[in-house]
Every structure is written in structure tokens, then in C-alpha cells.
Amino acid sequence: SLYFNLMGEMVDDASILTSAISKLSVANLGFCPPSGCRSFKELRGRCAVSVDSPMFWTKDGRGCDVKVEDVTQWLGLLDGIGVLIFAVCCVLFAHRWMPRVVRQTDEAFVTPGDYTVWVDHVPRYLNDQNHESYAAQLRDHFQRVLAGCSSGAVQEADAVQEVVLVREYGGAIMMFMKKGQILEDIENSKVLQERALARNNQQVVARHAKKIEEMEGQVCAIDKRLRIQSTKLDEERACCSAFVTFKHQEYQEKVMDEYRFSRHWLFRLCQSGRLKFGGRRIVVKEACEPTDLYWENLDFSPWRRMARKVAVALLTLLVLVVCAGAIAALRSNPTAAETIRKTTWVIERAPASGPDALGVCSWELYSSVSCAHDAPSSADWGAARVFGANGTLGGGEN
């Protein structure tokens, strides 16, 4: 496809950079005959390549061997195959090459993530008697899972070392961090205000005073939103997910093996009752490293995260629909006629009216800009209007 584009002559640009880029596009596909493409039909049926011999490709106008309309579908098929190959390479890179590199790195280094699993899709609330002891209930659950492992039971009472719950704060952690950043900005503005006051620069002092007032208003608004969250105890909050740390790396691998089918929703439908927690099918994955963990992004429930993803997907779909509608509306506008109709005026040679008069020996009009000898000319065209020697208008041949 790129070869056909490069062989074309449809794009002509004075700039070297834009010309080089445009010649790689499909807009440069094919070329018109020396006489030019005089209609949209001829433009669509222009020549793609002209073959003199099996080894050379020429564009000298001595016949067209392959037209653009004959190879368009095959070029489109090749483009589709290229896109498919690129997509396959991306999938292999994301699901084969990257996991292999991560696995090799994990084998070379021992980190806290090798002892910990991340538990998602947990029940938000347990019953009234057990919700306050959520962490203890989750610890006992994984102790039972280790005790019933098919690869070897683990009977140690302290096999599960620690359970950290991610509670739902409704975005309060992120707002609290934002408040801390605003308070730091207020302190910086106060220092700059004092320096401006020492220089007796009242304009800068007033600007910082206004800025401090605005930031203090933002702090008050955040405090009002956090006041609702401050009335709840951590034990009363819903649970979004959890991190469970084991005593040995081997125990973490055993649990990961037991929950190997929990990563996909389809396989999770067949999760046994022994692996469920609180009647829910849970997801168990290897935990990330502590430095890669952002707690402010974890205090949202899975449903709220899913709602945000759906909102972004719908917005993207809306943009695509608007763009497609705009393109369809532009294409639906009436186009010019299929054939470009032009009138040819032929001037008839008049006899000389004196020894000093100039006489027209011969007239011939060419359809080719370069006046090619083999291009159609007015000698082959029918006359539409003919003027006589005295300037009168006469009838033509057509």
C-alpha cells in the first residue's frame, strides 16, 4: 500500500516536509493521464500503475495496466491486515512479554508484594454482629483456605500475619490531602506577603491578601464536606478491598493458586463456597509494591469506580458519534456534476487585409497543459460556435 502511494503523483506541495509526508498517504494514490482528469469519473478511474516490463514501473502515459478502482479493495484489505498485525503485537506485548518480564523481576528480587495479596469484590458490610470484626473474619477465612489447600495444607495459626482493610471514605482522603496542599499554599502566600510588606509594595500585599482569603474559603468548604465523614467510626464504614500479608512467600503463592480462576468474571461464577467470603465471590491478586499504592484512589467503592469508567466511555462514544455525524452531513451535501462541462471556442482563420496585416496561419487548442503531441486537441473536437471574418456568429458542427 505504501509503495502504491509513493508511486502516485496526485499530491504536489512546495514544502519538502509536507510533500514527503503527503506522498505516504492514500491521497497520493495513482496518477492522471497527460491530458489530466477532466471529470470525477476519470478521477476515480485514474491509473494506479503502468507496466512496461515485469521489472520497471513507469508513468509515461502509454496505457494503464492497473487502475485505482481495481486495486482499492486489495489495498484496503492489506491495510486491515496491517492493523490486525499491530493489534496482535500489542496484545502479545501486554499479556505475554510484560508479564514475563515482571515474573523474571519478581524471581530476582524479594519485595513486600511477594508476601501480600490484594482482595477485591469483598462484601461491603457483614452482618451486624460481625462487621466490627471484619479484619478478624477475613483473617480466619484465609487461615481456612490455607488449611484446605490442594497443594498442601498449612496448619500454622499465624500463617496470616496482617490484614489491612480499605474503608470507604467517599473521597474524604483525597479532599483531606487537597486541604493540606491549600494550607501549605496559604503559608507560602503569607511569607510572600510579609516580604512585600517589608518592601512597602502595597499592590503585591493586596494581591496576596485576596489570594489568601480565597484559599481560606476553599478550606472552609472542604471542612464542611469532611464534617459528615468525621462523625463515623472506622469500624462502621463499608469495606472496599483489603490487603492480606502472609508469614511466608510460599503461603502467598498457595493462596494465589487457589484463586487463580477468580481474575475473570466468567470463571468466578463457578467459585466454590469454600473460597467465598461472606457469601461473595472475591477476587485475589498479587499486591502491588507499597510505593505504587495511592490510598486516596482506593476509598471509592467498586461501583463508583465503575460508574466513572462508564461515564468516560459514554463521553468517548458521544464524541465519536458527533464526529461521524459531521462527516456524514458533509458527505451528504450536493456535489458537482459528474462531468465537468466546458465550452470550446474555435477561432477561424481570416484572410489578410493588406501587406502590413498579420494573418493567423493556424490555431490548435490542447487539453494537456504541456501540449503533448499525443494528447487530444481541438483538431478532434466539434465546433460549438464559429465567427466569420466580419465578426458574425455562425453555427457550429455540433
Side-chain angles (χ1 to χ4, degrees):
S1 180
L2 286 177
Y3 180 79
F4 279 93
N5 295 342
L6 287 172
M7 293 295 295
E9 293 181 344
M10 301 302 296
V11 177
D12 187 15
D13 200 309
S15 173
I16 298 177
L17 178 61
T18 55
S19 177
I21 296 175
S22 59
K23 285 184 178 298
L24 295 174
S25 66
V26 70
N28 196 48
L29 180 62
F31 56 91
C32 291
S35 59
C37 295
R38 295 177 294 173
S39 66
F40 292 105
K41 183 177 181 180
E42 292 182 359
L43 185 64
R44 288 197 299 266
R46 65 186 184 274
C47 190
V49 289
S50 180
V51 184
D52 258 358
S53 68
M55 298 297 296
F56 299 95
W57 301 72
T58 63
K59 300 185 288 291
D60 55 1
R62 288 177 290 176
C64 179
D65 295 274
V66 181
K67 294 184 177 180
V68 171
E69 57 187 0
D70 297 331
V71 298
T72 301
Q73 64 271 27
W74 300 109
L75 296 180
L77 179 62
L78 291 176
D79 289 340
I81 294 175
V83 173
L84 181 61
I85 293 175
F86 177 76
V88 171
C89 292
C90 291
V91 171
L92 292 177
F93 176 80
H95 296 280
R96 296 296 298 271
W97 189 82
M98 288 186 62
R100 180 171 56 85
V101 173
V102 171
R103 184 169 59 253
Q104 292 175 354
T105 305
D106 289 341
E107 293 175 355
F109 303 96
V110 178
T111 61
D114 296 329
Y115 292 82
T116 308
V117 295
W118 178 44
V119 187
D120 199 11
H121 289 262
V122 296
R124 290 170 51 81
Y125 292 95
L126 298 178
N127 54 51
D128 297 338
Q129 293 78 16
N130 298 328
H131 187 70
E132 293 185 358
S133 60
Y134 200 111
Q137 296 288 330
L138 190 59
R139 181 194 302 270
D140 295 340
H141 169 74
F142 280 101
Q143 287 284 165
R144 292 191 297 269
V145 171
L146 287 172
C149 281
S150 57
S151 58
V154 177
Q155 302 297 337
E156 289 188 44
D158 58 346
V160 179
Q161 290 288 298
E162 187 178 8
V163 175
V164 178
L165 301 179
V166 180
R167 301 283 186 175
E168 182 177 358
Y169 288 86
I173 297 178
M174 185 176 296
M175 288 190 294
F176 191 78
M177 295 180 64
K178 182 179 179 181
K179 176 184 175 181
Q181 182 62 44
I182 295 175
L183 291 175
E184 184 178 352
D185 293 340
I186 290 176
E187 292 298 326
N188 294 335
S189 296
K190 287 182 178 179
V191 173
L192 295 176
Q193 187 183 33
E194 292 176 359
R195 293 179 180 177
L197 185 61
R199 296 192 304 267
N200 198 22
N201 192 338
Q202 298 299 327
Q203 183 178 1
V204 177
V205 171
R207 185 171 67 248
H208 283 293
K210 182 178 180 181
K211 185 177 180 180
I212 292 173
E213 183 180 358
E214 293 177 355
M215 289 189 293
E216 288 178 346
Q218 295 177 8
V219 171
C220 292
I222 292 176
D223 288 337
K224 290 181 181 179
R225 298 179 63 182
L226 294 177
R227 192 174 298 123
I228 301 175
Q229 296 292 337
S230 62
T231 59
K232 296 181 181 179
L233 298 175
D234 284 348
E235 291 77 10
E236 298 174 353
R237 297 181 182 275
C239 186
C240 300
S241 59
F243 292 93
V244 180
T245 304
F246 299 92
K247 184 176 181 179
H248 299 291
Q249 184 178 357
E250 178 188 0
Y251 298 164
Q252 186 249 26
E253 295 174 353
K254 288 179 177 293
V255 172
M256 291 285 295
D257 183 68
E258 290 291 322
Y259 283 95
R260 61 188 181 276
F261 297 116
S262 68
R263 298 172 183 82
H264 196 277
W265 66 270
L266 184 61
F267 298 145
R268 200 161 55 245
L269 295 175
C270 304
Q271 193 172 89
S272 63
R274 182 178 67 87
L275 301 178
K276 295 180 182 179
F277 175 68
R280 290 286 301 273
R281 303 179 182 91
I282 61 176
V283 178
V284 177
K285 301 179 182 179
E286 184 176 357
C288 62
E289 301 302 328
T291 54
D292 298 335
L293 191 60
Y294 292 90
W295 289 96
E296 62 271 22
N297 295 336
L298 295 177
D299 66 332
F300 290 96
S301 64
W303 294 109
R304 295 184 64 178
R305 292 200 300 268
M306 181 60 67
R308 295 192 176 194
K309 292 180 181 179
V310 170
V312 173
L314 291 178
L315 182 60
T316 304
L317 180 62
L318 178 62
V319 172
L320 294 177
V321 170
V322 171
C323 293
I327 295 174
L330 292 175
R331 291 180 62 88
S332 63
N333 289 337
T335 58
E338 284 293 322
T339 303
I340 302 176
R341 301 183 180 276
K342 293 184 179 179
T343 302
T344 303
W345 296 82
V346 180
I347 303 175
E348 189 180 58
R349 179 167 50 88
S353 58
D356 298 330
L358 296 178
V360 179
C361 298
S362 176
W363 281 92
E364 189 173 0
L365 303 179
Y366 291 88
S367 60
S368 171
V369 178
S370 59
C371 296
H373 68 280
D374 57 347
S377 67
S378 58
D380 304 323
W381 302 342
R385 293 177 177 83
V386 179
F387 288 94
N390 56 0
T392 59
L393 179 65
E397 298 178 6
N398 293 339

